[in-house]
Amino acid sequence: MSLVPLLDKALAADLSKSEWRAFAALLRQTVGFNKISDALTFGRLAQLTGLRKDHLKPAVQGVLKAGLFSQSAHPDYEFMYTVAHAESIKPKDVTHTNEGNNTKTEINYPKEIDHETQQALSPALAKLRSSAAQDVCDLLALAIRNRSIQTTPVRFGFALISAAKNGTLDKTALRSNPQQPAQAPNPQPKAVNKQIDDDFFYRNLAKIQGKTLETIKAEFANAHKKATVPPVALSNY
């Protein structure tokens, strides 16, 4: 991984102090976590840089105008930032070592899983076989992409890891929904795809909590009845 072209361009750009802070924060969130892109909100960038939002936005624009990063819309985190000269910065597969049996767990994190979630899950994922850890990450990414998670990605990830350890991980959704770009058209009818996602979530939750599928569905149905807003489909979360 070579940062030389990117850093040379940054040095030649005559960035202001605020722009350097914005550039450093974006670099930290991407290359710092072995990625070339990351989805971020202005709130998160403000936290990292220590800049007020009214100062942060022009600073980020300065970084973009200098050609150091590109920016694209993101449905959940405002913007996706991608490092320039990405062709010369090729992230390696993230590898965790399981010291207990001297084996290595190799994981390709899908782009939907942000670095905070990766950090939280990586120690537990390192205890799984590479194939199981990858299945967990692919299932989590699919759920994030389809917005079928009613909790946080981290908690849902741990639930999947627990199922993988117990040998009860349901991979039906992966077979029904092969990996595809987040913005690609879904080849399945919406109603069918929703049912697959819902059943996948309910079945795994039932296995993890040791309850029957009917009990889990009944609990969610009662929770929706008590809600103060109209119930919405699970796949819309």
Side-chain angles (χ1 to χ4, degrees):
M1 180 183 293
S2 175
L3 283 173
V4 173
L6 182 64
L7 294 176
D8 282 347
K9 194 167 185 177
L11 290 169
D14 191 25
L15 300 176
S16 68
K17 183 178 179 180
S18 294
E19 289 169 345
W20 268 110
R21 294 182 73 86
F23 172 64
L26 291 172
L27 197 64
R28 174 190 186 276
Q29 298 301 102
T30 52
V31 179
F33 289 93
N34 209 33
K35 300 188 293 184
I36 61 172
S37 62
D38 194 27
L40 294 161
T41 63
F42 274 116
R44 176 59 175 156
L45 283 174
Q47 182 183 35
L48 289 168
T49 60
L51 297 172
R52 288 174 14 196
K53 287 187 180 181
D54 57 336
H55 292 167
L56 174 63
K57 291 185 178 182
V60 170
Q61 287 303 312
V63 173
L64 299 177
K65 288 179 181 178
L68 302 172
F69 276 83
S70 63
Q71 181 191 74
S72 58
H74 191 278
D76 299 314
Y77 293 92
E78 293 181 351
F79 294 106
M80 175 74 76
Y81 295 92
T82 302
V83 67
H85 297 285
E87 67 280 358
S88 64
I89 304 175
K90 298 178 180 179
K92 299 178 182 178
D93 291 347
V94 179
T95 302
H96 303 288
T97 301
N98 185 343
E99 298 179 355
N101 54 15
N102 294 322
T103 61
K104 290 184 177 180
T105 301
E106 297 183 356
I107 307 168
N108 279 325
Y109 284 105
K111 63 182 180 180
E112 290 84 2
I113 304 177
D114 61 37
H115 71 87
E116 287 90 351
T117 303
Q118 291 180 28
Q119 283 185 307
L121 298 179
S122 61
L125 287 169
K127 297 178 182 179
L128 301 176
R129 292 180 178 273
S130 295
S131 58
Q134 193 64 58
D135 286 339
V136 166
C137 289
D138 291 343
L139 286 167
L140 176 57
L142 177 63
I144 293 172
R145 199 158 59 229
N146 291 338
R147 301 188 183 186
S148 58
I149 301 177
Q150 286 194 326
T151 182
T152 66
V154 171
R155 293 183 65 182
F156 188 65
F158 277 121
L160 293 174
I161 291 170
S162 177
K165 287 181 178 178
N166 295 332
T168 58
L169 185 65
D170 189 342
K171 295 179 282 186
T172 304
L174 290 181
R175 294 192 293 271
S176 303
N177 294 270
Q179 286 188 353
Q180 56 186 356
Q183 301 302 322
N186 193 327
Q188 296 181 338
K190 184 175 181 180
V192 174
N193 188 51
K194 171 190 172 299
Q195 186 62 47
I196 290 173
D197 290 339
D198 288 0
D199 288 348
F200 158 69
F201 177 80
Y202 290 135
R203 281 198 302 272
N204 275 287
L205 195 59
K207 290 175 183 177
I208 292 165
Q209 295 188 3
K211 299 178 180 179
T212 66
L213 181 61
E214 291 73 17
T215 299
I216 290 294
K217 287 185 176 181
E219 289 177 353
F220 272 88
N222 290 334
H224 280 308
K225 288 180 181 179
K226 295 177 181 178
T228 56
V229 295
V232 297
L234 176 61
S235 58
N236 290 334
Y237 278 87

